[in-house]
Amino acid sequence: MLKHEDNERLTRTGPGTPLGKMMRAYWQPAALVSEMPEDRPVKAVRLMGEDLVLFERPGGGWGLVSRFCAHRGVDLSFGRLEDGGLRCLYHGWLYGADGQCLEQPAEPEHSRFAERVRIASYPCEERNGIIFAYLGAGDPPPFPAYDCFTAPDEYTFAFKGLWECNWLQGLEGGIDPSHVSFLHRFVGEDPREVYGQQFSEEVDGTGKKLSELVGESFRPDIEVEQTEYGLRVFALRDLTEEVKHVRITNLVFPNAFVVPFGNNKVFIQWHVPIDDENHYWYMIFYDFQDETDKERLLAQRLEGVTLPDYRPIRNRSNNWGFDPAEQRDLTYTGMGLDINVHDQWAVESMGRIQDRTLERLGISDRAVTANRRMLLRALEAFEAGNSVPGLPVDEATAAALRGPLAVDTIAPADDWEPHWRKREAQRRNASPWASESSSDDAQDLADA
């Protein structure tokens, strides 16, 4: 359990809060490129309690500024995209992507009042289908060389979804290896098609889908180690006396995780606060071997949400579509075939902000407790001006942040660690685009 004051520190991300300041020091997803309207690429967004408006800049790139005009406070998301910026409908004030007021048509011709008016603005960068924003102080850090950023566009797919709860609940679900043995279990035969459906692929060498394998082996040994980007989490399941199932996931500090998706696919997922009671998850899915079928993946994802908010059709208002007959005969949850909904139910059903003073954690929660300790230590370090995980200070340290490695494989029980590294090295060597992993693994993979 957490003390009340610690729970507050780890969940509140609004302007001026300790966690809000630290999370703003990292690049955060702000929108999907695909959700920006083609005829008028302007969209209101809300990030960590700040109301902003995102718009396309002339000649390319994106601007992100305060949603409200400095003059009389009207909504700039309805503004006209013209003359190199965003023009307020009320009195014609024009703002550039840097927030500077460029024109005030109703003011006297000789007035220099506009020079003294500037609204909040934040740098933006586009990476593999997501527009990232930097809301922190000073210059933004360079992007790490993670696989999700270095993979060619044709090998990736990006999407998002709305969850009606605090960001930390979503993140903690993603770094919890033991829940998959229950929450994502099928009571009957898993009827899903394989492509684009997590836990539906057969694990090499087992003849079983991952959903079946983890359902049968429901008591994994969980090990956690700290890395320069956050945490590496091992879930080890004994299949026989000679063979283990090895599943490796990662916490990418402060608010993302990296998970294997079948034998050659991986995804990274950020959990980004809208405010303290709602958040979006953003995903970049990447394939080491084949180009992604973006149209097919998009169609699959859009079946479960309503636009423009990307709100799941199954949600708190309709009990996440719970069906007792389905729970008896097909899925462990009774909430449909999309395991994203299962995760959504788990974290939303706790309430908008989980009261962690009441929980009771066990050994299987090692990754969750390790992450909370890391968050609390990092908050103290950040406030003191010291380094924090996964935040590069220059291009060299950014280039060293690679991977992270996310593996789903079987291995000899007495030799599982070098085996999974060899498996990862083989996958990367066979990939048309993949580089070496993060710097703390590069030598190990070379040796493998």
Side-chain angles (χ1 to χ4, degrees):
M1 69 177 71
L2 282 180
K3 295 183 292 185
H4 174 74
E5 53 268 32
D6 286 339
N7 198 44
E8 289 290 296
R9 280 173 65 82
L10 297 187
T11 56
R12 306 293 181 176
T13 61
T17 61
L19 181 62
K21 290 179 180 178
M22 187 176 73
M23 289 184 71
R24 284 167 170 79
Y26 295 78
W27 286 100
Q28 297 288 350
L32 296 173
V33 175
S34 60
E35 69 179 298
M36 298 301 293
E38 291 186 9
D39 57 342
R40 181 180 173 272
V42 179
K43 184 177 179 63
V45 299
R46 184 168 168 83
L47 283 172
M48 291 181 281
E50 292 190 51
D51 289 304
L52 307 166
V53 57
L54 179 68
F55 63 95
E56 189 172 23
R57 302 172 60 178
W62 304 93
L64 183 66
V65 300
S66 170
R67 185 170 174 176
F68 304 110
C69 180
H71 183 203
R72 302 273 290 278
V74 303
D75 190 344
L76 289 175
S77 70
F78 292 92
R80 296 179 62 85
L81 194 58
E82 62 183 24
D83 298 326
L86 193 61
R87 190 179 295 278
C88 179
L89 301 183
Y90 202 10
H91 297 91
W93 285 23
L94 178 68
Y95 295 94
D98 61 355
Q100 178 64 49
C101 186
L102 303 174
E103 292 180 7
Q104 297 169 334
E107 293 299 304
E109 287 189 24
H110 63 273
S111 173
R112 301 183 63 180
F113 181 30
E115 298 175 7
R116 304 196 302 273
V117 176
R118 185 188 293 267
I119 58 177
S121 67
Y122 301 109
C124 295
E125 293 284 346
E126 185 178 323
R127 291 290 188 282
N128 276 335
I130 296 179
I131 302 165
F132 288 81
Y134 175 72
L135 277 64
D139 294 331
F143 273 81
Y146 296 144
D147 291 328
C148 63
F149 299 138
T150 59
D153 174 77
E154 58 268 27
Y155 289 86
T156 71
F157 170 73
F159 201 69
K160 67 186 283 189
L162 173 66
W163 283 0
E164 295 173 312
C165 64
N166 185 262
W167 75 278
L168 187 57
Q169 286 153 236
L171 183 81
E172 289 185 340
I175 60 171
D176 170 14
S178 60
H179 84 269
V180 300
S181 293
F182 298 92
L183 189 66
H184 303 321
R185 181 186 297 184
F186 280 80
V187 178
E189 182 70 20
D190 181 352
R192 300 173 300 165
E193 60 177 302
V194 172
Y195 187 73
Q197 304 295 327
Q198 195 182 7
F199 288 88
S200 66
E201 284 198 17
E202 183 179 300
V203 179
D204 279 349
T206 68
K208 295 180 179 180
K209 287 187 175 184
L210 181 59
S211 58
E212 180 183 2
L213 188 150
V214 298
E216 293 174 348
S217 302
F218 52 80
R219 190 175 286 120
D221 292 326
I222 296 173
E223 300 180 12
V224 182
E225 64 183 27
Q226 190 161 346
T227 69
E228 55 198 358
Y229 57 78
L231 298 173
R232 181 181 294 120
V233 182
F234 301 87
L236 308 172
R237 291 174 166 88
D238 292 324
L239 302 185
T240 68
E241 290 185 1
E242 293 80 27
V243 177
K244 283 185 184 291
H245 174 240
V246 180
R247 182 169 168 83
I248 300 172
T249 58
N250 302 269
L251 180 282
V252 178
F253 198 83
N255 60 319
F257 55 82
V258 177
V259 173
F261 194 121
N263 298 311
N264 289 300
K265 306 173 186 65
V266 175
F267 71 85
I268 182 170
Q269 189 175 101
W270 291 264
H271 287 260
V272 184
I274 300 169
D275 51 38
D276 292 338
E277 296 190 347
N278 303 275
H279 75 277
Y280 279 113
W281 58 260
Y282 285 84
M283 171 190 73
I284 297 179
F285 167 99
Y286 48 98
D287 196 315
F288 284 103
Q289 179 175 298
D290 301 314
E291 296 184 9
T292 53
D293 187 342
K294 293 180 188 288
E295 291 186 5
R296 187 175 174 188
L297 290 169
L298 181 61
Q300 289 177 355
R301 293 290 91 213
L302 289 178
E303 286 179 355
V305 301
T306 58
L307 300 179
D309 295 331
Y310 293 80
R311 189 184 190 211
I313 293 171
R314 293 171 180 261
N315 56 63
R316 182 184 279 109
S317 70
N318 56 29
N319 288 327
W320 298 274
F322 175 72
D323 179 350
E326 180 198 310
Q327 188 183 57
R328 180 189 65 229
D329 299 329
L330 182 59
T331 66
Y332 196 78
T333 63
M335 297 178 192
L337 302 178
D338 184 355
I339 71 167
N340 284 315
V341 175
H342 308 167
D343 289 322
Q344 174 198 348
W345 164 81
V347 300
E348 287 185 345
S349 67
M350 300 172 180
R352 295 284 184 160
I353 303 178
Q354 181 193 1
D355 184 356
R356 292 175 178 79
T357 67
L358 302 177
E359 66 184 1
R360 298 294 185 269
L361 302 185
I363 292 174
S364 61
D365 300 299
R366 280 176 172 163
V368 171
T369 54
N371 178 56
R372 293 179 188 177
R373 287 193 295 267
M374 178 180 288
L375 269 169
L376 290 169
R377 289 195 303 266
L379 281 173
E380 292 183 3
F382 186 79
E383 290 174 331
N386 298 323
S387 63
V388 290
L391 187 61
V393 296
D394 53 33
E395 294 289 347
T397 53
L401 289 170
R402 300 177 184 173
L405 309 183
V407 177
D408 205 334
T409 189
I410 58 170
D414 59 354
D415 200 32
W416 63 269
E417 186 156 7
H419 183 89
W420 79 257
R421 294 184 183 278
K422 182 178 181 179
R423 162 77 175 87
E424 176 68 3
Q426 291 171 342
R427 180 168 70 172
R428 289 178 178 273
N429 289 336
S431 173
W433 59 267
S435 64
E436 291 180 336
S437 62
S438 55
S439 59
D440 64 335
D441 294 313
Q443 188 58 52
D444 292 325
L445 289 186
D447 294 340

